[in-house]
Amino acid sequence: MYLKRLLPYLKLYRKKLIIGFIVIAFSAVFTNLIPFVLSKAIDEIKNHAEGTSLLNYALLTVGFAAISGVFLYLTRQMIIIASREIENDLRNDFLKHILFQDQQYFHFHSTGDIMALATNDISAVRNFLGPGIMYTAETLINFTIAVSLMISFNFQLAVIAVIPIPFISYLVYRIGKSINYKFEKVQQQFSELTTRAQENLSGVKVVKAYVREQSETESFRKLSVDYMNKNLELAKVQSFSFPMMLLLTGFSAVIVLYFGGNKIINGELTIGELTAFIIYLGLLTWPIISLGWIINLTQRAEASMKRLCEVFDNKPSINDPVKVDTVLAVNNKNITGNIEFSNVNFRYHPNFPYVLKNINFKINAGETIGIIGHTGSGKSTFVNLISRLFDVEEGEILVDGKNIKQYELNKLRLAIAYVPQETFLFSDTIENNIAYAEKSFDKEKVVEAAKISQIYKDVDNFPRRFETILGERGINLSGGQKQRTSIARAILSDPRILILDDAFSAVDTYTEEEILTGLNGVMKGRTTLLISHRISTLKNSNRIIVFKDGSIAEEGTHESLIQKEGIYADIYFKQLLEDELRDLD
Amino acid sequence: MAEEKKINIIEPDENEQEEVLGKAYDTRLMKRLIKYLKPYVKWVVFSVLLTVGVALLSTLRPYLTKIAIDNYIVNKDTVGLRNIILILLATLVFQGLMQYSMTYLTQWIGQKTIFDLRMELFNHIQKLSMSFFDKNPVGRLVTRLTNDIEVLNEMFSSGIVMVFADVFIIAGILFFMFSLSWQLTLISLSVIIPLIYATVIFRRKVRAAFRDVRFYLAKMNAFLQEHISGIMVVKIFVKEKKTVNEFKEINFDHTKANKRSVKYYSVFFPVVELIGAISGALIIWYGGAKALEGVLTIGILVSFIQYSEMFFRPIRDLSEKYNIMQTAMASSERIFRLLDRKPQIVDPENPVKFENCKGVISFKNVSFAYVKKNFVLKDISFNIKQGEKVAFVGATGAGKSSIMNLLCRFYDAQYGEITIDDINIKDISQDDLRKNIGLVVQDIFLFSDSIGNNISLKNNLITESKIKESAEIIGIDKFISKLPLGYRQNVKERGVTLSQGERQLITFARALAYDPKILILDEATSSVDTHSELLIQNAIDKLMEGRTSIIIAHRLSTIQKCDKIIVMHKGEIREMGTHMQLLELGGIYSKLYQLQYKESNA
């Protein structure tokens, strides 16, 4: 039972839950008293009582309904609200666990899957906690009270009335299960249909070029027909559920009317009591139906909870050093920025090929290192390893002469600023994006960083300047503006090691030059790693390394590499030609 | 290619914005929607008749209960009681059967109509021109085909007919109540007005609360989406805790909005019960007094208690239908707007018969812009003889792909004329034109279907042996035959991953199987392994054999085999000639040659 894992949460809200159960009981008592009052009233009418007592009965009915209503209100305010609060806590805890998962985890789990856990699965658990628990309690209490009152009227009739109840519950459960199953089939077919439409429209050019519109329509029609049929299969069961319930509940009402009628004729029962019986049956209908429904709900919550527990139980492997005494007492500001790769081999998964092979490289604090190579040659992996986004199994990476696994993870990462290949900005103000790394910041520093990264002028032209909101509900920056903003973010974090992963690809060469000059000032005495496809970005670096198929193929200064006439020289030559062609009219 | 497309995406369709919900009923839209019910009009009428039956039977039962009490129980008539019980059972069974048929039938009608509508929409979208697809993201079109149509299903199946059902039930209840005692009816139903009032207020409040819930849910989802896709940035800057704290705030707002809706529910349900109890109390108080006077019977009182309980459900249902209709109107508006789109490129009214294509191509002073005035081709003229092989070269964005797009008539040029065998391509039907052209585009597109179907594209005229033969000629047959399922192997199935080169070869086999008179080939730029490279080069030779070929060439080996090279630069033809001639010229081509084709240094 994975749902057991919810106990700590339930304990936290036990006050609300206990009060909730108590008020459910009160509410049930008063609800069940109403038919009792009605029965007495009808009997009095039958026996030609005085008119004044009728008014009393009427007032009593309304009074009981009002009292029961207040309790009913409180029930929801306690139990459903508690379920919403637990949902809230559960979701917060979930996010906490997700965020601390290794980067590796995100390679194997899509954003969509993770979001489905955070929304759908938590909702399923919530449905169990709220309506599930509330209706279970309500059903049990209502059932007990109603049945005991019915027995007090007439034992035999009560038994007759109650007999169909377990059958109805079971039927609801079975139908619910079958509906769920067929519904899933419908959903599957729906996603197939969606995929097909998606694919057809993406390949519309091929379809048109080969004049295949008709056969495409035919295959879409087949899927549509399947989808329709699956829906009709579902409709068959769904249409069955209501009449079936109607038949069974109606059936017990008619049976009660028959036996009850005969008992009245024999003088064993009053008309009022019979009326009460019929009303009680009506009152019990919903709880009986809900019982089957609750079972389905619980099963679904259990499955969802299982998926959630997988996340809760998955402990990240990249963490602070286990033994406290081996942790280096280093503050991020004290890291000087010497980096060394020693015999590093790396692959993302034991089943995957190596991405980095036998890397040995030493970077001195204060150096600027240029990195170039084809897509997939291992450049990004190389820099990602330094901040321990992934851990190496073979070989070691040293910062200031100490294995990076010995550092406190946060301290190590805080010493490094990274501008990723795919610029990633949050839908927040420009200011908050630039100052992302800082807890509190002064505006001057933001402006300064923006000036160095050459985004200041752009921002200055926006009506709301640094308060401009980015993203869907704000403005969309151009690729170059995004890159410059994310460079500003890195600058402001005052790193000892700065990594720019192809961060200038959308910035024009002139601006790039300006940014690099500015960076030279800020990064004096600190280490900079520059990945780029453009020679112009790299040529002034202290040293340049060329990656090829996961290994370092060439290494040296711009001039020495040109003289070598290897890969680097070839890229350089081609880029010169490209520039020439572009300048042609 | 990619660069040229980008220009178009900047200009989104202005009309296709998702809008807020508006009217629940729009005569113009409704008239159009009703048309889709026409083929099933018999069944619609039948289902309406069924709703009448259901309404009649379900409202008959309390009346029968009344008779059972007044006529038989009070009079101690056991035989009469048994008979009326049997009648009651019969009405129950009949109501069950009719209810089942009605529910299923309305679902059936809904499914049939939306099937028709979906197919019509799909057909229509396929007929629209390429320029439409440039402006409308595939995702949006798919939404029209799926979600929007699904909304209409709800309207067709549970909307229209079920509204009748609710109305009939209300009418039935009123009929029996009034016939039993009109005074008691008026008194017991006086609570209807507060009930409707409470329902309307509740709906409005709850809708507002749900709107907030949806708003915060969307915000929460956006936040999750953003921070999970940007997890790297979060980790690099060590902002996990900050992220959790920000999330807590949004989550809290979401919970708060949910709690608000809980509040409305916790008030609404007791209020409804209270109103019901008041109605019961009124029946006891007023009806009881009348019963004492002997004007009303006990049975009438009991049946009234049942009737007033029955009355509330259809009223609540009707208010729900309002929402269904509202969303249905919004969706149908979007669907019809799409259906009203006319394709930009249409066939001539009397197309010239186009048979035995020779493959003589001519561009005369063609200028073309995807977006107004932004010309990507400027005054292009060239002639290609039957069977000639022509290579187009030039930097990205030079206009090479546009030439292919025009020749296939995916777009129409603003100026100039394009002819095949001296016939203007606008005078031929699009199908006839494209049947003679084999197009292989650079971004390889395979359907998630078997390899065989990807070659034949499910054209019955292309037999299995033809598929195999084409694959053999292209040199991919051996590879395919080795796959577990051979030609029936699905290209997207797990475990079988086709390399880029193999995928490319499959598209070549596709072009060859169709045996076109004119071949248009946009070579893939991505590098493949040497083995595939050789296969591809051979395959291209085979493909070009005996047909007029236009190739956007990226490989030197391909270019050298061509009769003529046309060099494009910034939308214009700058150089034309053979490889040697152009090299000697020392112009753009010689630079491109050094840049792209001279492999020796790499």
Side-chain angles (χ1 to χ4, degrees):
Chain A
M1 272 288 276
Y2 288 93
L3 288 172
K4 253 194 227 156
R5 303 272 297 262
L6 290 169
L7 275 175
Y9 295 95
L10 289 169
K11 267 187 192 151
L12 218 55
Y13 296 96
R14 58 173 175 268
K15 235 195 212 159
K16 272 202 174 116
L17 291 170
I18 290 169
I19 296 177
F21 289 133
I22 294 171
V23 288
I24 285 182
F26 279 117
S27 159
V29 167
F30 284 100
T31 310
N32 282 297
L33 279 176
I34 294 172
F36 189 75
V37 174
L38 285 178
S39 77
K40 291 286 169 244
I42 286 175
D43 286 341
E44 297 253 339
I45 293 164
K46 180 96 196 322
N47 303 328
H48 300 283
E50 294 300 310
T52 45
S53 66
L54 280 183
L55 185 62
N56 285 344
Y57 282 122
L59 289 177
L60 219 52
T61 310
V62 177
F64 284 167
I67 295 169
S68 152
V70 171
F71 285 125
L72 198 63
Y73 167 81
L74 287 175
T75 305
R76 282 178 181 273
Q77 284 298 309
M78 292 297 145
I79 294 185
I80 305 283
I81 292 287
S83 79
R84 287 291 176 195
E85 271 158 1
I86 294 175
E87 177 193 22
N88 187 69
D89 294 355
L90 195 60
R91 202 168 266 143
N92 284 339
D93 288 348
F94 174 77
L95 187 78
K96 222 181 280 169
H97 272 90
I98 279 293
L99 287 180
F100 286 101
Q101 292 294 326
D102 293 338
Q103 190 67 23
Q104 191 90 1
Y105 180 88
F106 299 94
H107 267 234
F108 294 101
H109 295 82
S110 73
T111 307
D113 286 348
I114 297 172
M115 286 183 51
L117 285 168
T119 50
N120 300 350
D121 285 315
I122 289 184
S123 284
V125 173
R126 206 292 300 183
N127 276 340
F128 161 76
L129 287 173
I133 290 183
M134 184 178 77
Y135 286 124
T136 312
E138 218 175 69
T139 302
L140 292 178
I141 297 172
N142 263 326
F143 189 81
T144 321
I145 297 177
V147 172
S148 19
L149 281 171
M150 281 158 87
I151 288 173
S152 79
F153 290 146
N154 188 297
F155 179 77
Q156 216 183 346
L157 197 59
V159 171
I160 291 170
V162 167
I163 282 175
I165 287 174
F167 293 103
I168 300 174
S169 288
Y170 181 70
L171 207 73
V172 172
Y173 167 69
R174 286 311 298 259
I175 290 176
K177 212 168 179 169
S178 167
I179 287 177
N180 275 347
Y181 175 75
K182 301 224 149 126
F183 185 69
E184 260 166 47
K185 292 258 160 196
V186 167
Q187 289 299 96
Q188 274 170 20
Q189 191 67 26
F190 184 72
S191 76
E192 221 170 291
L193 194 74
T194 310
T195 316
R196 182 79 216 173
Q198 175 95 32
E199 194 177 272
N200 173 283
L201 298 177
S202 315
V204 68
K205 205 165 184 177
V206 175
V207 174
K208 279 183 184 291
Y210 286 91
V211 199
R212 299 317 303 155
E213 286 92 341
Q214 271 182 345
S215 71
E216 278 307 304
T217 304
E218 202 37 58
S219 68
F220 188 75
R221 176 191 302 279
K222 265 189 206 143
L223 284 177
S224 294
V225 169
D226 272 358
Y227 178 61
M228 179 174 72
N229 288 337
K230 295 230 160 85
N231 262 306
L232 289 176
E233 280 292 309
L234 175 66
K236 257 182 215 161
V237 189
Q238 252 173 352
S239 323
F240 188 65
S241 56
F242 184 67
M244 200 61 217
M245 240 106 74
L246 173 100
L247 270 179
L248 282 173
T249 52
F251 189 71
S252 30
V254 174
I255 294 293
V256 165
L257 185 64
Y258 177 68
F259 286 101
N262 274 316
K263 283 187 190 300
I264 292 170
I265 291 169
N266 296 335
E268 294 168 41
L269 197 77
T270 65
I271 289 195
E273 285 167 343
L274 178 66
T275 314
F277 255 94
I278 293 174
I279 298 176
Y280 280 128
L281 278 179
L283 277 181
L284 283 180
T285 311
W286 168 241
I288 294 160
I289 290 169
S290 72
L291 210 62
W293 175 71
I294 289 165
I295 296 172
N296 283 322
L297 208 103
T298 311
Q299 283 178 343
R300 246 187 284 176
E302 172 72 9
S304 288
M305 198 61 205
K306 186 180 171 202
R307 282 191 286 270
L308 290 171
C309 284
E310 274 163 23
V311 175
F312 286 130
D313 295 341
N314 195 13
K315 295 273 171 288
S317 65
I318 298 178
N319 230 321
D320 289 337
V322 190
K323 285 184 206 149
V324 185
D325 52 310
T326 57
V327 181
L328 289 166
V330 178
N331 192 298
N332 49 299
K333 299 290 172 201
N334 302 335
I335 290 175
T336 33
N338 294 296
I339 304 165
E340 188 183 345
F341 277 67
S342 160
N343 298 319
V344 170
N345 289 304
F346 180 75
R347 50 187 168 180
Y348 284 100
H349 192 269
N351 297 337
F352 293 174
Y354 280 99
V355 191
L356 289 179
K357 293 167 216 160
N358 195 32
I359 303 289
N360 282 293
F361 194 71
K362 211 167 166 176
I363 300 164
N364 301 318
E367 261 192 313
T368 298
I369 302 290
I371 302 169
I372 197 166
H374 287 297
T375 322
S377 59
K379 307 178 301 269
S380 295
T381 310
F382 177 76
V383 294
N384 283 341
L385 291 181
I386 303 172
S387 42
R388 281 190 79 197
L389 281 177
F390 305 94
D391 264 349
V392 288
E393 301 292 329
E394 300 169 45
E396 57 178 357
I397 299 166
L398 313 165
V399 165
D400 290 353
K402 298 276 162 36
N403 191 321
I404 50 171
K405 290 181 186 176
Q406 283 175 276
Y407 288 89
E408 214 180 303
L409 189 59
N410 288 354
K411 296 280 154 59
L412 175 74
R413 284 185 181 163
L414 282 173
I416 302 167
Y418 180 72
V419 182
Q421 205 166 15
E422 287 161 35
T423 34
F424 192 88
L425 298 176
F426 296 100
S427 325
D428 202 338
T429 61
I430 295 182
E431 188 170 66
N432 283 341
N433 265 295
I434 294 179
Y436 183 65
E438 301 297 293
K439 280 199 189 83
S440 57
F441 56 90
D442 56 72
K443 290 215 170 198
E444 273 170 45
K445 277 171 99 183
V446 173
V447 171
E448 196 188 324
K451 277 184 177 160
I452 295 169
S453 69
Q454 304 294 325
I455 187 71
Y456 182 75
K457 277 182 206 148
D458 303 59
V459 175
D460 212 29
N461 280 329
F462 297 145
R464 301 187 56 195
R465 305 187 70 242
F466 280 96
E467 248 115 79
T468 308
I469 291 175
L470 304 182
E472 262 177 61
R473 257 171 277 118
I475 64 156
N476 275 317
L477 297 180
S478 74
Q481 287 171 327
K482 276 188 198 159
Q483 286 186 332
R484 282 179 278 148
T485 310
S486 99
I487 292 170
R489 173 171 66 193
I491 294 172
L492 191 71
S493 73
D494 188 25
R496 310 305 304 180
I497 299 166
L498 174 66
I499 300 169
L500 297 160
D501 189 352
D502 209 7
F504 296 104
S505 57
V507 178
D508 65 87
T509 34
Y510 174 75
T511 316
E512 176 190 80
E513 193 83 39
E514 303 256 287
I515 299 172
L516 286 171
T517 317
L519 276 179
N520 268 337
V522 186
M523 294 305 291
K524 200 158 226 151
R526 307 183 190 203
T527 313
T528 308
L529 300 179
L530 269 177
I531 296 182
S532 179
H533 286 285
R534 274 207 308 248
I535 301 281
S536 60
T537 318
L538 310 174
K539 63 171 188 265
N540 293 323
S541 310
N542 298 105
R543 278 186 293 158
I544 296 163
I545 46 180
V546 182
F547 269 93
K548 190 176 186 240
D549 300 331
S551 305
I552 296 176
E554 294 170 18
E555 179 201 326
T557 61
H558 175 70
E559 285 74 24
S560 73
L561 286 172
I562 297 278
Q563 273 173 7
K564 216 178 195 174
E565 290 188 5
I567 304 172
Y568 184 83
D570 191 52
I571 299 172
Y572 176 66
F573 176 64
K574 282 188 173 171
Q575 289 189 357
L576 279 185
L577 270 169
E578 255 170 31
D579 291 345
E580 238 179 274
L581 266 172
R582 195 178 312 115
D583 296 339
L584 217 68
D585 283 318
Chain B
M1 177 75 217
E3 298 240 331
E4 286 168 3
K5 270 218 158 167
K6 262 179 216 153
I7 305 164
N8 308 308
I9 295 164
I10 300 167
E11 205 184 33
D13 253 355
E14 67 301 331
N15 294 330
E16 291 284 336
Q17 310 292 343
E18 313 281 318
E19 72 243 78
V20 262
L21 293 181
K23 284 188 274 186
Y25 184 82
D26 182 319
T27 322
R28 181 181 54 90
L29 292 173
M30 213 51 204
K31 266 190 190 157
R32 249 182 114 166
L33 282 171
I34 293 290
K35 271 192 201 142
Y36 289 90
L37 283 175
K38 237 184 184 167
Y40 312 104
V41 75
K42 253 195 312 194
W43 296 107
V44 174
V45 171
F46 186 52
S47 65
V48 171
L49 286 178
L50 279 173
T51 62
V52 176
V54 167
L56 194 75
L57 289 180
S58 63
T59 52
L60 188 62
R61 277 190 294 129
Y63 184 73
L64 291 175
T65 313
K66 179 236 163 223
I67 292 174
I69 293 173
D70 287 345
N71 296 11
Y72 306 113
I73 294 176
V74 173
N75 296 333
K76 300 187 193 285
D77 178 353
T78 40
V79 182
L81 178 62
R82 199 194 60 212
N83 289 341
I84 198 94
I85 290 294
L86 290 177
I87 295 172
L88 261 171
L89 284 178
T91 54
L92 252 180
V93 172
F94 273 109
Q95 193 200 331
L97 287 175
M98 286 171 106
Q99 189 108 40
Y100 180 83
S101 323
M102 178 187 82
T103 323
Y104 183 74
L105 191 59
T106 50
Q107 290 284 338
W108 183 85
I109 293 168
Q111 287 297 329
K112 284 281 176 191
T113 21
I114 64 153
F115 171 80
D116 295 344
L117 186 57
R118 199 195 311 272
M119 286 316 294
E120 184 185 335
L121 190 61
F122 183 82
N123 261 327
H124 179 75
I125 293 176
Q126 265 200 338
K127 283 199 191 99
L128 291 168
S129 311
M130 284 310 289
S131 55
F132 170 82
F133 289 96
D134 293 338
K135 283 184 203 157
N136 293 276
V138 169
R140 188 193 291 158
L141 301 176
V142 172
T143 308
R144 297 288 167 277
L145 274 171
T146 52
N147 296 355
D148 278 332
I149 294 217
E150 219 50 39
V151 169
L152 291 188
N153 175 31
E154 213 178 329
M155 187 202 72
F156 279 124
S157 58
S158 58
I160 297 177
V161 178
M162 292 303 181
V163 168
F164 282 110
D166 288 335
V167 171
F168 288 143
I169 286 179
I170 292 175
I173 295 172
L174 287 178
F175 170 76
F176 282 110
M177 283 175 101
F178 271 102
S179 66
L180 288 172
S181 161
W182 66 267
Q183 293 101 327
L184 193 55
T185 308
L186 289 181
I187 284 174
S188 62
L189 290 189
S190 60
V191 298
I192 281 296
I193 293 155
L195 178 76
I196 291 175
Y197 184 69
T199 310
V200 168
I201 288 188
F202 168 72
R203 284 261 162 240
R204 199 180 297 148
K205 293 265 183 196
V206 131
R207 206 180 300 152
F210 275 144
R211 202 181 299 134
D212 283 359
V213 169
R214 274 197 304 273
F215 172 77
Y216 288 115
L217 187 68
K219 206 169 158 190
M220 198 161 74
N221 279 338
F223 184 90
L224 281 173
Q225 162 90 34
E226 198 166 283
H227 285 80
I228 293 170
S229 9
I231 186 77
M232 200 155 158
V233 174
V234 175
K235 282 187 179 298
I236 290 281
F237 287 99
V238 197
K239 288 295 161 198
E240 290 94 339
K241 284 201 184 112
K242 182 189 175 197
T243 309
V244 170
N245 287 335
E246 280 178 19
F247 180 76
K248 274 185 183 163
E249 276 173 38
I250 304 174
N251 193 12
F252 183 71
D253 285 339
H254 174 245
T255 306
K256 220 163 65 184
N258 262 324
K259 282 184 185 170
R260 201 147 61 85
S261 78
V262 172
K263 194 176 86 193
Y264 297 135
Y265 276 101
S266 13
V267 173
F268 180 66
F269 284 120
V271 164
V272 168
E273 287 197 14
L274 184 64
I275 291 174
I278 292 175
S279 162
L282 285 172
I283 293 168
I284 291 295
W285 174 64
Y286 178 82
K290 290 282 160 195
L292 287 177
E293 289 168 23
V295 181
L296 293 178
T297 64
I298 295 282
I300 292 181
L301 291 192
V302 174
S303 67
F304 258 74
I305 292 174
Q306 287 182 315
Y307 278 128
S308 64
E309 263 171 26
M310 273 176 87
F311 203 79
F312 296 147
R313 200 182 58 86
I315 288 200
R316 240 186 294 167
D317 278 359
L318 276 177
S319 75
E320 246 162 60
K321 299 281 145 52
Y322 184 83
N323 284 1
I324 293 180
M325 293 303 284
Q326 222 180 8
T327 41
M329 286 299 130
S331 283
S332 60
E333 173 94 57
R334 288 195 285 268
I335 289 170
F336 287 143
R337 203 185 293 144
L338 185 51
L339 275 175
D340 290 340
R341 276 285 168 130
K342 297 272 175 294
Q344 277 187 341
I345 293 176
V346 285
D347 285 338
E349 269 180 43
N350 300 304
V352 176
K353 266 214 173 154
F354 191 62
E355 282 164 342
N356 304 322
C357 168
K358 292 198 287 275
V360 181
I361 300 165
S362 164
F363 271 58
K364 287 172 203 144
N365 308 101
V366 173
S367 292
F368 169 62
Y370 289 101
V371 183
K372 273 173 209 158
K373 300 249 165 86
N374 203 339
F375 282 94
V376 288
L377 292 180
K378 296 164 201 159
D379 199 25
I380 299 288
S381 299
F382 61 84
N383 294 305
I384 299 174
K385 294 186 209 115
Q386 181 174 3
E388 208 174 18
K389 297 165 182 53
V390 179
F392 277 84
V393 296
T396 339
K400 296 164 296 183
S401 300
S402 302
I403 288 191
M404 305 195 158
N405 283 338
L406 289 184
L407 190 56
C408 294
R409 242 196 124 200
F410 288 141
Y411 302 86
D412 276 343
Q414 281 85 349
Y415 303 104
E417 182 178 76
I418 301 165
T419 62
I420 293 181
D421 298 354
D422 289 327
I423 305 169
N424 189 324
I425 56 169
K426 289 186 186 173
D427 296 333
I428 316 168
S429 79
Q430 292 170 68
D431 285 5
D432 273 352
L433 171 71
R434 289 176 194 152
K435 270 177 189 158
N436 285 296
I437 299 176
L439 176 72
V440 182
V441 287
Q442 192 190 44
D443 26 345
I444 300 159
F445 189 85
L446 295 183
F447 292 95
S448 38
D449 202 334
S450 68
I451 292 180
N453 280 344
N454 262 299
I455 293 176
S456 70
L457 293 176
K458 285 178 275 186
N459 187 338
N460 295 331
L461 297 174
I462 294 172
T463 57
E464 267 182 51
S465 59
K466 178 82 185 165
I467 293 172
K468 198 171 158 61
E469 189 193 310
S470 310
E472 254 167 32
I473 297 173
I474 291 299
I476 183 96
D477 173 60
K478 264 190 203 151
F479 167 78
I480 298 170
S481 304
K482 270 189 214 146
L483 293 172
L485 293 174
Y487 282 84
R488 276 176 292 123
Q489 186 77 52
N490 192 304
V491 294
K492 298 241 169 95
E493 225 150 81
R494 270 172 215 183
V496 183
T497 37
L498 300 174
S499 74
Q500 201 62 9
E502 285 146 7
R503 294 161 62 87
Q504 173 94 65
L505 288 170
I506 290 174
T507 65
F508 285 176
R510 179 194 291 166
L512 190 68
Y514 275 78
D515 194 18
K517 285 291 179 297
I518 299 167
L519 174 76
I520 303 182
L521 172 68
D522 195 347
E523 271 188 339
T525 39
S526 59
S527 51
V528 291
D529 59 284
T530 23
H531 174 70
S532 303
E533 183 68 41
L534 268 174
L535 277 176
I536 287 173
Q537 282 179 20
N538 284 328
I540 290 176
D541 294 348
K542 292 276 164 36
L543 262 178
M544 292 197 294
E545 237 169 54
R547 38 191 135 239
T548 309
S549 306
I550 298 183
I551 294 172
I552 296 181
H554 298 291
R555 289 182 178 78
L556 183 62
S557 57
T558 317
I559 296 175
Q560 282 172 331
K561 273 166 202 146
C562 284
D563 304 309
K564 186 154 69 181
I565 299 165
I566 297 179
V567 183
M568 305 270 311
H569 191 75
K570 297 189 176 164
E572 289 172 68
I573 294 180
R574 298 292 288 268
E575 293 164 17
M576 210 186 285
T578 63
H579 176 65
M580 288 319 288
Q581 284 169 345
L582 292 179
L583 274 188
E584 267 169 45
L585 194 69
I588 296 174
Y589 182 76
S590 69
K591 283 209 175 66
L592 278 170
Y593 168 70
Q594 290 179 64
L595 180 64
Q596 288 176 14
Y597 308 119
K598 212 172 131 197
E599 305 281 332
S600 53
N601 267 347

